[in-house]
Amino acid sequence: MAQTFDIKELEKRMRAAIETLKKEFAGLRTGRANAHLLDPVHVNIYGARMPLAQCATVSTPDAKTISVQVWDKGQVKAVEKAISEANLGLTPRVDGQVIRLSMPPLTGDRRNELAKLAHKYGEASRIAVRN
């Protein structure tokens, strides 16, 4: 009994697996500041839950700092709380409408954890592509 495969559908699923891997790698917290590190953070503002990027500007002024410029001055506390609750290992410091996040230096143990996590992400993507 021969099986038929839709090549377009298979290519689409493989591309989706690769895109997911790219997003997971972008979310890894290395020693360098990356604005995409805050992508999974959602803030409760105006009675709705929205991504941080929809209520603030996220930038990296230098290699060790992430700066979050909140658009509405009254929502700074909500954004600070959302960042703290995201369990990213970052401590927010409020300076008016700007929240600054300093990246702590990597330790040897943390580097080993990151290598294991990256390997796990890669293996999961390989399995998704094979399937």
Side-chain angles (χ1 to χ4, degrees), residues 76-96:
V76 173
K77 289 290 182 191
V79 172
E80 179 188 14
K81 181 180 176 187
I83 292 171
S84 297
E85 290 175 352
N87 292 327
L88 298 173
L90 302 173
T91 305
R93 288 179 296 144
V94 179
D95 183 23

PDB file of all heavy atoms in Angstrom, residues 76-96:
ATOM      1  N   VAL A  76       3.272  52.229  34.416  1.00  0.00           N
ATOM      2  CA  VAL A  76       4.646  51.809  34.699  1.00  0.00           C
ATOM      3  C   VAL A  76       4.668  50.688  35.738  1.00  0.00           C
ATOM      4  O   VAL A  76       5.396  49.700  35.592  1.00  0.00           O
ATOM      5  CB  VAL A  76       5.503  53.013  35.156  1.00  0.00           C
ATOM      6  CG1 VAL A  76       6.878  52.568  35.606  1.00  0.00           C
ATOM      7  CG2 VAL A  76       5.609  54.030  34.043  1.00  0.00           C
ATOM      8  N   LYS A  77       3.863  50.805  36.791  1.00  0.00           N
ATOM      9  CA  LYS A  77       3.831  49.782  37.845  1.00  0.00           C
ATOM     10  C   LYS A  77       3.338  48.448  37.298  1.00  0.00           C
ATOM     11  O   LYS A  77       3.853  47.389  37.671  1.00  0.00           O
ATOM     12  CB  LYS A  77       2.937  50.230  39.008  1.00  0.00           C
ATOM     13  CG  LYS A  77       3.537  51.341  39.825  1.00  0.00           C
ATOM     14  CD  LYS A  77       4.714  50.835  40.608  1.00  0.00           C
ATOM     15  CE  LYS A  77       5.275  51.956  41.474  1.00  0.00           C
ATOM     16  NZ  LYS A  77       6.559  51.612  42.050  1.00  0.00           N
ATOM     17  N   ALA A  78       2.334  48.469  36.409  1.00  0.00           N
ATOM     18  CA  ALA A  78       1.819  47.219  35.834  1.00  0.00           C
ATOM     19  C   ALA A  78       2.879  46.537  34.974  1.00  0.00           C
ATOM     20  O   ALA A  78       3.029  45.316  35.013  1.00  0.00           O
ATOM     21  CB  ALA A  78       0.568  47.511  35.002  1.00  0.00           C
ATOM     22  N   VAL A  79       3.642  47.322  34.220  1.00  0.00           N
ATOM     23  CA  VAL A  79       4.698  46.763  33.380  1.00  0.00           C
ATOM     24  C   VAL A  79       5.815  46.199  34.257  1.00  0.00           C
ATOM     25  O   VAL A  79       6.322  45.099  34.003  1.00  0.00           O
ATOM     26  CB  VAL A  79       5.235  47.829  32.396  1.00  0.00           C
ATOM     27  CG1 VAL A  79       6.457  47.321  31.662  1.00  0.00           C
ATOM     28  CG2 VAL A  79       4.146  48.238  31.407  1.00  0.00           C
ATOM     29  N   GLU A  80       6.180  46.940  35.299  1.00  0.00           N
ATOM     30  CA  GLU A  80       7.219  46.456  36.217  1.00  0.00           C
ATOM     31  C   GLU A  80       6.802  45.138  36.864  1.00  0.00           C
ATOM     32  O   GLU A  80       7.595  44.192  36.957  1.00  0.00           O
ATOM     33  CB  GLU A  80       7.484  47.508  37.291  1.00  0.00           C
ATOM     34  CG  GLU A  80       8.520  47.089  38.306  1.00  0.00           C
ATOM     35  CD  GLU A  80       8.619  48.067  39.469  1.00  0.00           C
ATOM     36  OE1 GLU A  80       7.729  48.925  39.631  1.00  0.00           O
ATOM     37  OE2 GLU A  80       9.590  47.945  40.225  1.00  0.00           O
ATOM     38  N   LYS A  81       5.552  45.060  37.281  1.00  0.00           N
ATOM     39  CA  LYS A  81       5.035  43.841  37.910  1.00  0.00           C
ATOM     40  C   LYS A  81       5.049  42.667  36.923  1.00  0.00           C
ATOM     41  O   LYS A  81       5.432  41.551  37.280  1.00  0.00           O
ATOM     42  CB  LYS A  81       3.610  44.091  38.414  1.00  0.00           C
ATOM     43  CG  LYS A  81       2.988  42.913  39.099  1.00  0.00           C
ATOM     44  CD  LYS A  81       1.586  43.238  39.566  1.00  0.00           C
ATOM     45  CE  LYS A  81       0.931  42.008  40.160  1.00  0.00           C
ATOM     46  NZ  LYS A  81      -0.477  42.233  40.479  1.00  0.00           N
ATOM     47  N   ALA A  82       4.655  42.912  35.677  1.00  0.00           N
ATOM     48  CA  ALA A  82       4.631  41.848  34.669  1.00  0.00           C
ATOM     49  C   ALA A  82       6.035  41.320  34.383  1.00  0.00           C
ATOM     50  O   ALA A  82       6.235  40.112  34.232  1.00  0.00           O
ATOM     51  CB  ALA A  82       3.986  42.356  33.384  1.00  0.00           C
ATOM     52  N   ILE A  83       7.012  42.212  34.332  1.00  0.00           N
ATOM     53  CA  ILE A  83       8.398  41.790  34.086  1.00  0.00           C
ATOM     54  C   ILE A  83       8.913  40.971  35.269  1.00  0.00           C
ATOM     55  O   ILE A  83       9.566  39.944  35.096  1.00  0.00           O
ATOM     56  CB  ILE A  83       9.306  43.009  33.815  1.00  0.00           C
ATOM     57  CG1 ILE A  83       8.931  43.654  32.488  1.00  0.00           C
ATOM     58  CG2 ILE A  83      10.767  42.595  33.807  1.00  0.00           C
ATOM     59  CD1 ILE A  83       9.610  44.983  32.226  1.00  0.00           C
ATOM     60  N   SER A  84       8.598  41.405  36.480  1.00  0.00           N
ATOM     61  CA  SER A  84       9.034  40.675  37.674  1.00  0.00           C
ATOM     62  C   SER A  84       8.411  39.287  37.741  1.00  0.00           C
ATOM     63  O   SER A  84       9.069  38.311  38.125  1.00  0.00           O
ATOM     64  CB  SER A  84       8.663  41.449  38.939  1.00  0.00           C
ATOM     65  OG  SER A  84       9.333  42.675  38.981  1.00  0.00           O
ATOM     66  N   GLU A  85       7.136  39.178  37.374  1.00  0.00           N
ATOM     67  CA  GLU A  85       6.418  37.909  37.457  1.00  0.00           C
ATOM     68  C   GLU A  85       6.749  36.954  36.313  1.00  0.00           C
ATOM     69  O   GLU A  85       6.363  35.794  36.351  1.00  0.00           O
ATOM     70  CB  GLU A  85       4.914  38.153  37.493  1.00  0.00           C
ATOM     71  CG  GLU A  85       4.449  38.787  38.783  1.00  0.00           C
ATOM     72  CD  GLU A  85       2.978  39.135  38.780  1.00  0.00           C
ATOM     73  OE1 GLU A  85       2.339  39.028  37.706  1.00  0.00           O
ATOM     74  OE2 GLU A  85       2.461  39.512  39.839  1.00  0.00           O
ATOM     75  N   ALA A  86       7.467  37.435  35.298  1.00  0.00           N
ATOM     76  CA  ALA A  86       7.787  36.594  34.144  1.00  0.00           C
ATOM     77  C   ALA A  86       8.897  35.588  34.442  1.00  0.00           C
ATOM     78  O   ALA A  86       9.180  34.712  33.617  1.00  0.00           O
ATOM     79  CB  ALA A  86       8.184  37.465  32.961  1.00  0.00           C
ATOM     80  N   ASN A  87       9.537  35.688  35.594  1.00  0.00           N
ATOM     81  CA  ASN A  87      10.605  34.768  36.011  1.00  0.00           C
ATOM     82  C   ASN A  87      11.731  34.680  34.978  1.00  0.00           C
ATOM     83  O   ASN A  87      12.158  33.590  34.597  1.00  0.00           O
ATOM     84  CB  ASN A  87      10.041  33.373  36.298  1.00  0.00           C
ATOM     85  CG  ASN A  87       9.162  33.357  37.517  1.00  0.00           C
ATOM     86  OD1 ASN A  87       9.397  34.094  38.465  1.00  0.00           O
ATOM     87  ND2 ASN A  87       8.132  32.541  37.489  1.00  0.00           N
ATOM     88  N   LEU A  88      12.198  35.833  34.547  1.00  0.00           N
ATOM     89  CA  LEU A  88      13.304  35.881  33.592  1.00  0.00           C
ATOM     90  C   LEU A  88      14.652  36.027  34.282  1.00  0.00           C
ATOM     91  O   LEU A  88      15.686  36.020  33.637  1.00  0.00           O
ATOM     92  CB  LEU A  88      13.103  37.056  32.618  1.00  0.00           C
ATOM     93  CG  LEU A  88      11.868  36.997  31.744  1.00  0.00           C
ATOM     94  CD1 LEU A  88      11.712  38.289  30.965  1.00  0.00           C
ATOM     95  CD2 LEU A  88      11.939  35.814  30.806  1.00  0.00           C
ATOM     96  N   GLY A  89      14.639  36.191  35.586  1.00  0.00           N
ATOM     97  CA  GLY A  89      15.882  36.370  36.323  1.00  0.00           C
ATOM     98  C   GLY A  89      16.409  37.790  36.222  1.00  0.00           C
ATOM     99  O   GLY A  89      17.589  38.028  36.459  1.00  0.00           O
ATOM    100  N   LEU A  90      15.547  38.739  35.887  1.00  0.00           N
ATOM    101  CA  LEU A  90      15.937  40.141  35.755  1.00  0.00           C
ATOM    102  C   LEU A  90      15.200  40.965  36.798  1.00  0.00           C
ATOM    103  O   LEU A  90      14.027  40.735  37.070  1.00  0.00           O
ATOM    104  CB  LEU A  90      15.601  40.662  34.358  1.00  0.00           C
ATOM    105  CG  LEU A  90      16.224  39.912  33.188  1.00  0.00           C
ATOM    106  CD1 LEU A  90      15.667  40.424  31.877  1.00  0.00           C
ATOM    107  CD2 LEU A  90      17.724  40.069  33.219  1.00  0.00           C
ATOM    108  N   THR A  91      15.882  41.965  37.353  1.00  0.00           N
ATOM    109  CA  THR A  91      15.275  42.846  38.337  1.00  0.00           C
ATOM    110  C   THR A  91      15.057  44.220  37.706  1.00  0.00           C
ATOM    111  O   THR A  91      16.018  44.887  37.342  1.00  0.00           O
ATOM    112  CB  THR A  91      16.182  42.994  39.571  1.00  0.00           C
ATOM    113  OG1 THR A  91      16.465  41.688  40.071  1.00  0.00           O
ATOM    114  CG2 THR A  91      15.516  43.815  40.644  1.00  0.00           C
ATOM    115  N   PRO A  92      13.794  44.636  37.571  1.00  0.00           N
ATOM    116  CA  PRO A  92      13.528  45.949  36.964  1.00  0.00           C
ATOM    117  C   PRO A  92      13.828  47.098  37.914  1.00  0.00           C
ATOM    118  O   PRO A  92      13.583  47.006  39.119  1.00  0.00           O
ATOM    119  CB  PRO A  92      12.044  45.891  36.621  1.00  0.00           C
ATOM    120  CG  PRO A  92      11.477  44.780  37.404  1.00  0.00           C
ATOM    121  CD  PRO A  92      12.590  43.880  37.821  1.00  0.00           C
ATOM    122  N   ARG A  93      14.401  48.187  37.362  1.00  0.00           N
ATOM    123  CA  ARG A  93      14.631  49.432  38.102  1.00  0.00           C
ATOM    124  C   ARG A  93      13.865  50.528  37.391  1.00  0.00           C
ATOM    125  O   ARG A  93      14.084  50.775  36.206  1.00  0.00           O
ATOM    126  CB  ARG A  93      16.115  49.791  38.131  1.00  0.00           C
ATOM    127  CG  ARG A  93      16.940  48.889  39.016  1.00  0.00           C
ATOM    128  CD  ARG A  93      18.385  49.264  38.979  1.00  0.00           C
ATOM    129  NE  ARG A  93      18.857  49.039  37.607  1.00  0.00           N
ATOM    130  CZ  ARG A  93      19.741  49.789  36.970  1.00  0.00           C
ATOM    131  NH1 ARG A  93      20.284  50.813  37.560  1.00  0.00           N
ATOM    132  NH2 ARG A  93      20.102  49.512  35.739  1.00  0.00           N
ATOM    133  N   VAL A  94      12.965  51.186  38.100  1.00  0.00           N
ATOM    134  CA  VAL A  94      12.116  52.221  37.514  1.00  0.00           C
ATOM    135  C   VAL A  94      12.805  53.571  37.623  1.00  0.00           C
ATOM    136  O   VAL A  94      13.312  53.944  38.672  1.00  0.00           O
ATOM    137  CB  VAL A  94      10.744  52.257  38.215  1.00  0.00           C
ATOM    138  CG1 VAL A  94       9.875  53.349  37.629  1.00  0.00           C
ATOM    139  CG2 VAL A  94      10.063  50.912  38.113  1.00  0.00           C
ATOM    140  N   ASP A  95      12.786  54.308  36.510  1.00  0.00           N
ATOM    141  CA  ASP A  95      13.348  55.655  36.452  1.00  0.00           C
ATOM    142  C   ASP A  95      12.365  56.518  35.658  1.00  0.00           C
ATOM    143  O   ASP A  95      12.529  56.693  34.459  1.00  0.00           O
ATOM    144  CB  ASP A  95      14.728  55.617  35.784  1.00  0.00           C
ATOM    145  CG  ASP A  95      15.396  56.977  35.752  1.00  0.00           C
ATOM    146  OD1 ASP A  95      15.043  57.824  36.586  1.00  0.00           O
ATOM    147  OD2 ASP A  95      16.262  57.180  34.880  1.00  0.00           O
ATOM    148  N   GLY A  96      11.322  57.007  36.332  1.00  0.00           N
ATOM    149  CA  GLY A  96      10.287  57.785  35.648  1.00  0.00           C
ATOM    150  C   GLY A  96       9.426  56.861  34.788  1.00  0.00           C
ATOM    151  O   GLY A  96       8.780  55.963  35.297  1.00  0.00           O
TER     152      GLY A  96
END
